[in-house]
Short mmCIF file of all heavy atoms in Angstrom, two decimals:
data_model
loop_
_atom_site.label_atom_id
_atom_site.label_comp_id
_atom_site.label_asym_id
_atom_site.label_seq_id
_atom_site.Cartn_x
_atom_site.Cartn_y
_atom_site.Cartn_z
N ASP A 1443 -6.58 140.61 101.66
CA ASP A 1443 -5.44 139.75 101.36
C ASP A 1443 -5.51 139.30 99.88
O ASP A 1443 -6.38 138.53 99.52
CB ASP A 1443 -5.40 138.54 102.28
CG ASP A 1443 -4.18 137.68 102.08
OD1 ASP A 1443 -3.36 137.94 101.20
OD2 ASP A 1443 -4.04 136.66 102.83
N VAL A 1444 -4.56 139.77 99.09
CA VAL A 1444 -4.58 139.48 97.65
C VAL A 1444 -4.36 138.00 97.37
O VAL A 1444 -5.04 137.42 96.49
CB VAL A 1444 -3.50 140.33 96.90
CG1 VAL A 1444 -3.42 139.95 95.43
CG2 VAL A 1444 -3.82 141.79 97.07
N ASP A 1445 -3.51 137.32 98.12
CA ASP A 1445 -3.30 135.89 97.90
C ASP A 1445 -4.59 135.11 98.14
O ASP A 1445 -4.92 134.19 97.38
CB ASP A 1445 -2.20 135.37 98.81
CG ASP A 1445 -0.81 135.90 98.43
OD1 ASP A 1445 -0.60 136.18 97.23
OD2 ASP A 1445 0.02 136.07 99.34
N ALA A 1446 -5.31 135.45 99.19
CA ALA A 1446 -6.58 134.78 99.48
C ALA A 1446 -7.63 135.08 98.42
O ALA A 1446 -8.40 134.22 98.01
CB ALA A 1446 -7.10 135.20 100.87
N GLN A 1447 -7.63 136.35 97.93
CA GLN A 1447 -8.58 136.71 96.87
C GLN A 1447 -8.32 135.91 95.60
O GLN A 1447 -9.22 135.40 94.98
CB GLN A 1447 -8.47 138.21 96.59
CG GLN A 1447 -8.99 139.04 97.68
CD GLN A 1447 -8.67 140.53 97.49
OE1 GLN A 1447 -7.83 140.90 96.68
NE2 GLN A 1447 -9.34 141.40 98.27
N LEU A 1448 -7.03 135.73 95.26
CA LEU A 1448 -6.68 134.98 94.08
C LEU A 1448 -6.98 133.48 94.26
O LEU A 1448 -7.47 132.84 93.34
CB LEU A 1448 -5.21 135.16 93.72
CG LEU A 1448 -4.86 136.58 93.20
CD1 LEU A 1448 -3.34 136.68 93.03
CD2 LEU A 1448 -5.57 136.86 91.91
N ALA A 1449 -6.72 132.96 95.46
CA ALA A 1449 -7.04 131.54 95.74
C ALA A 1449 -8.51 131.30 95.58
O ALA A 1449 -8.93 130.31 94.96
CB ALA A 1449 -6.55 131.13 97.12
N LEU A 1450 -9.35 132.20 96.15
CA LEU A 1450 -10.81 132.05 96.04
C LEU A 1450 -11.23 132.17 94.58
O LEU A 1450 -12.10 131.41 94.12
CB LEU A 1450 -11.49 133.11 96.86
CG LEU A 1450 -11.79 132.77 98.29
CD1 LEU A 1450 -12.34 133.99 99.03
CD2 LEU A 1450 -12.71 131.57 98.41
N ALA A 1451 -10.70 133.17 93.90
CA ALA A 1451 -11.08 133.35 92.50
C ALA A 1451 -10.80 132.12 91.66
O ALA A 1451 -11.65 131.69 90.88
CB ALA A 1451 -10.32 134.56 91.94
N TRP A 1452 -9.62 131.52 91.83
CA TRP A 1452 -9.29 130.34 91.05
C TRP A 1452 -10.16 129.14 91.47
O TRP A 1452 -10.51 128.31 90.63
CB TRP A 1452 -7.82 130.02 91.11
CG TRP A 1452 -6.98 130.90 90.23
CD1 TRP A 1452 -6.02 131.77 90.62
CD2 TRP A 1452 -7.04 130.99 88.80
NE1 TRP A 1452 -5.50 132.42 89.54
CE2 TRP A 1452 -6.11 131.96 88.41
CE3 TRP A 1452 -7.84 130.35 87.83
CZ2 TRP A 1452 -5.93 132.32 87.06
CZ3 TRP A 1452 -7.64 130.74 86.50
CH2 TRP A 1452 -6.69 131.68 86.12
N GLU A 1453 -10.51 129.06 92.74
CA GLU A 1453 -11.40 127.95 93.19
C GLU A 1453 -12.76 128.06 92.50
O GLU A 1453 -13.29 127.08 92.02
CB GLU A 1453 -11.55 127.95 94.70
CG GLU A 1453 -10.38 127.44 95.46
CD GLU A 1453 -9.98 126.01 95.11
OE1 GLU A 1453 -10.88 125.17 94.76
OE2 GLU A 1453 -8.79 125.70 95.18
N TYR A 1454 -13.30 129.29 92.46
CA TYR A 1454 -14.60 129.46 91.78
C TYR A 1454 -14.48 129.28 90.28
O TYR A 1454 -15.41 128.81 89.63
CB TYR A 1454 -15.22 130.85 92.14
CG TYR A 1454 -15.85 130.84 93.48
CD1 TYR A 1454 -15.26 131.50 94.55
CD2 TYR A 1454 -17.05 130.16 93.71
CE1 TYR A 1454 -15.87 131.51 95.80
CE2 TYR A 1454 -17.64 130.17 94.96
CZ TYR A 1454 -17.05 130.84 96.01
OH TYR A 1454 -17.67 130.83 97.22
N ALA A 1455 -13.37 129.68 89.71
CA ALA A 1455 -13.16 129.52 88.28
C ALA A 1455 -13.01 128.06 87.89
O ALA A 1455 -13.57 127.58 86.91
CB ALA A 1455 -11.95 130.29 87.83
N ARG A 1456 -12.27 127.30 88.72
CA ARG A 1456 -11.99 125.89 88.44
C ARG A 1456 -13.23 125.06 88.70
O ARG A 1456 -13.53 124.09 87.98
CB ARG A 1456 -10.87 125.40 89.35
CG ARG A 1456 -9.80 124.70 88.65
CD ARG A 1456 -8.71 124.20 89.60
NE ARG A 1456 -7.70 125.24 89.87
CZ ARG A 1456 -7.44 125.76 91.05
NH1 ARG A 1456 -8.10 125.38 92.11
NH2 ARG A 1456 -6.54 126.69 91.15
N GLY A 1457 -13.95 125.36 89.79
CA GLY A 1457 -15.14 124.59 90.13
C GLY A 1457 -14.84 123.20 90.63
O GLY A 1457 -15.62 122.30 90.48
N ASP A 1458 -13.68 123.04 91.26
CA ASP A 1458 -13.26 121.75 91.75
C ASP A 1458 -13.71 121.53 93.21
O ASP A 1458 -14.35 120.55 93.52
CB ASP A 1458 -11.75 121.62 91.62
CG ASP A 1458 -11.24 120.22 91.82
OD1 ASP A 1458 -12.00 119.28 91.56
OD2 ASP A 1458 -10.11 120.06 92.27
N ALA A 1459 -13.37 122.45 94.06
CA ALA A 1459 -13.74 122.33 95.48
C ALA A 1459 -15.07 122.98 95.80
O ALA A 1459 -15.68 122.69 96.82
CB ALA A 1459 -12.63 122.99 96.36
N VAL A 1460 -15.51 123.87 94.91
CA VAL A 1460 -16.80 124.52 95.04
C VAL A 1460 -17.50 124.42 93.69
O VAL A 1460 -16.87 124.10 92.70
CB VAL A 1460 -16.67 125.99 95.47
CG1 VAL A 1460 -16.13 126.12 96.88
CG2 VAL A 1460 -15.85 126.78 94.49
N ASP A 1461 -18.80 124.79 93.66
CA ASP A 1461 -19.48 124.81 92.36
C ASP A 1461 -18.88 125.94 91.53
O ASP A 1461 -18.65 127.04 92.06
CB ASP A 1461 -20.97 125.04 92.59
CG ASP A 1461 -21.65 123.85 93.23
OD1 ASP A 1461 -21.14 122.73 93.03
OD2 ASP A 1461 -22.67 124.05 93.91
N PRO A 1462 -18.68 125.71 90.25
CA PRO A 1462 -18.10 126.81 89.41
C PRO A 1462 -19.05 127.99 89.33
O PRO A 1462 -20.28 127.81 89.14
CB PRO A 1462 -17.92 126.16 88.03
CG PRO A 1462 -18.80 124.95 88.03
CD PRO A 1462 -18.97 124.54 89.46
N ASP A 1463 -18.50 129.16 89.55
CA ASP A 1463 -19.29 130.39 89.49
C ASP A 1463 -18.36 131.47 88.90
O ASP A 1463 -17.58 132.04 89.63
CB ASP A 1463 -19.79 130.76 90.86
CG ASP A 1463 -20.69 131.96 90.86
OD1 ASP A 1463 -20.86 132.57 89.77
OD2 ASP A 1463 -21.26 132.27 91.93
N PHE A 1464 -18.49 131.72 87.61
CA PHE A 1464 -17.59 132.64 86.93
C PHE A 1464 -17.82 134.08 87.34
O PHE A 1464 -16.90 134.88 87.35
CB PHE A 1464 -17.67 132.49 85.43
CG PHE A 1464 -17.25 131.10 84.95
CD1 PHE A 1464 -18.09 130.32 84.21
CD2 PHE A 1464 -16.00 130.60 85.27
CE1 PHE A 1464 -17.72 129.07 83.79
CE2 PHE A 1464 -15.61 129.34 84.86
CZ PHE A 1464 -16.46 128.56 84.12
N VAL A 1465 -19.04 134.43 87.71
CA VAL A 1465 -19.33 135.81 88.16
C VAL A 1465 -18.61 136.06 89.48
O VAL A 1465 -17.97 137.10 89.67
CB VAL A 1465 -20.84 136.00 88.27
CG1 VAL A 1465 -21.15 137.38 88.88
CG2 VAL A 1465 -21.52 135.89 86.89
N THR A 1466 -18.73 135.13 90.43
CA THR A 1466 -18.02 135.28 91.72
C THR A 1466 -16.53 135.26 91.48
O THR A 1466 -15.80 136.05 92.14
CB THR A 1466 -18.45 134.13 92.67
OG1 THR A 1466 -19.88 134.14 92.78
CG2 THR A 1466 -17.84 134.33 94.02
N ALA A 1467 -16.05 134.37 90.62
CA ALA A 1467 -14.61 134.35 90.35
C ALA A 1467 -14.15 135.69 89.79
O ALA A 1467 -13.12 136.22 90.27
CB ALA A 1467 -14.31 133.25 89.31
N LEU A 1468 -14.87 136.27 88.85
CA LEU A 1468 -14.48 137.55 88.28
C LEU A 1468 -14.51 138.64 89.33
O LEU A 1468 -13.62 139.51 89.35
CB LEU A 1468 -15.37 137.92 87.10
CG LEU A 1468 -15.02 139.23 86.39
CD1 LEU A 1468 -13.59 139.17 85.86
CD2 LEU A 1468 -16.02 139.52 85.27
N SER A 1469 -15.48 138.63 90.23
CA SER A 1469 -15.51 139.66 91.28
C SER A 1469 -14.30 139.55 92.20
O SER A 1469 -13.75 140.58 92.60
CB SER A 1469 -16.82 139.58 92.08
OG SER A 1469 -16.82 138.47 92.94
N TRP A 1470 -13.85 138.33 92.53
CA TRP A 1470 -12.63 138.20 93.36
C TRP A 1470 -11.40 138.60 92.57
O TRP A 1470 -10.50 139.23 93.13
CB TRP A 1470 -12.52 136.77 93.89
CG TRP A 1470 -13.44 136.48 95.03
CD1 TRP A 1470 -14.46 135.58 95.07
CD2 TRP A 1470 -13.40 137.10 96.32
NE1 TRP A 1470 -15.08 135.59 96.27
CE2 TRP A 1470 -14.46 136.52 97.09
CE3 TRP A 1470 -12.61 138.08 96.92
CZ2 TRP A 1470 -14.70 136.92 98.42
CZ3 TRP A 1470 -12.89 138.45 98.22
CH2 TRP A 1470 -13.93 137.85 98.93
N PHE A 1471 -11.35 138.29 91.29
CA PHE A 1471 -10.25 138.72 90.46
C PHE A 1471 -10.20 140.25 90.37
O PHE A 1471 -9.15 140.86 90.44
CB PHE A 1471 -10.29 138.13 89.07
CG PHE A 1471 -9.77 136.72 88.94
CD1 PHE A 1471 -10.62 135.70 88.53
CD2 PHE A 1471 -8.47 136.44 89.24
CE1 PHE A 1471 -10.14 134.41 88.40
CE2 PHE A 1471 -7.98 135.13 89.15
CZ PHE A 1471 -8.82 134.13 88.72
N ASP A 1472 -11.36 140.85 90.23
CA ASP A 1472 -11.45 142.34 90.16
C ASP A 1472 -10.97 142.96 91.47
O ASP A 1472 -10.28 143.97 91.46
CB ASP A 1472 -12.87 142.78 89.84
CG ASP A 1472 -13.25 142.57 88.41
OD1 ASP A 1472 -12.34 142.44 87.54
OD2 ASP A 1472 -14.49 142.54 88.11
N ARG A 1473 -11.37 142.38 92.60
CA ARG A 1473 -10.91 142.89 93.90
C ARG A 1473 -9.39 142.76 94.04
O ARG A 1473 -8.75 143.67 94.56
CB ARG A 1473 -11.64 142.17 95.06
CG ARG A 1473 -13.08 142.58 95.19
CD ARG A 1473 -13.73 141.91 96.30
NE ARG A 1473 -13.32 142.45 97.60
CZ ARG A 1473 -13.82 142.12 98.74
NH1 ARG A 1473 -14.80 141.23 98.81
NH2 ARG A 1473 -13.41 142.65 99.87
N ALA A 1474 -8.85 141.65 93.59
CA ALA A 1474 -7.41 141.48 93.66
C ALA A 1474 -6.69 142.43 92.74
O ALA A 1474 -5.64 143.03 93.09
CB ALA A 1474 -7.01 140.04 93.30
N ALA A 1475 -7.26 142.69 91.56
CA ALA A 1475 -6.63 143.61 90.61
C ALA A 1475 -6.73 145.05 91.10
O ALA A 1475 -5.84 145.85 90.88
CB ALA A 1475 -7.31 143.48 89.25
N SER A 1476 -7.82 145.38 91.78
CA SER A 1476 -7.99 146.77 92.28
C SER A 1476 -7.08 147.07 93.47
O SER A 1476 -6.96 148.23 93.84
CB SER A 1476 -9.44 147.02 92.64
OG SER A 1476 -9.81 146.25 93.79
N SER A 1477 -6.40 146.07 94.01
CA SER A 1477 -5.47 146.31 95.14
C SER A 1477 -4.24 147.04 94.65
O SER A 1477 -3.51 147.61 95.47
CB SER A 1477 -5.07 144.99 95.75
OG SER A 1477 -4.21 144.27 94.86
N GLY A 1478 -3.99 147.04 93.38
CA GLY A 1478 -2.82 147.75 92.82
C GLY A 1478 -1.60 146.82 92.65
O GLY A 1478 -0.59 147.23 92.11
#
Side-chain angles (χ1 to χ4, degrees):
D1443 184 357
V1444 175
D1445 291 329
Q1447 291 170 345
L1448 291 174
L1450 272 175
W1452 282 116
E1453 285 300 329
Y1454 281 107
R1456 230 181 275 117
D1458 191 29
V1460 295
D1461 292 332
D1463 185 354
F1464 297 124
V1465 173
T1466 305
L1468 183 59
S1469 73
W1470 283 116
F1471 279 119
D1472 286 339
R1473 286 181 74 175
S1476 68
S1477 71

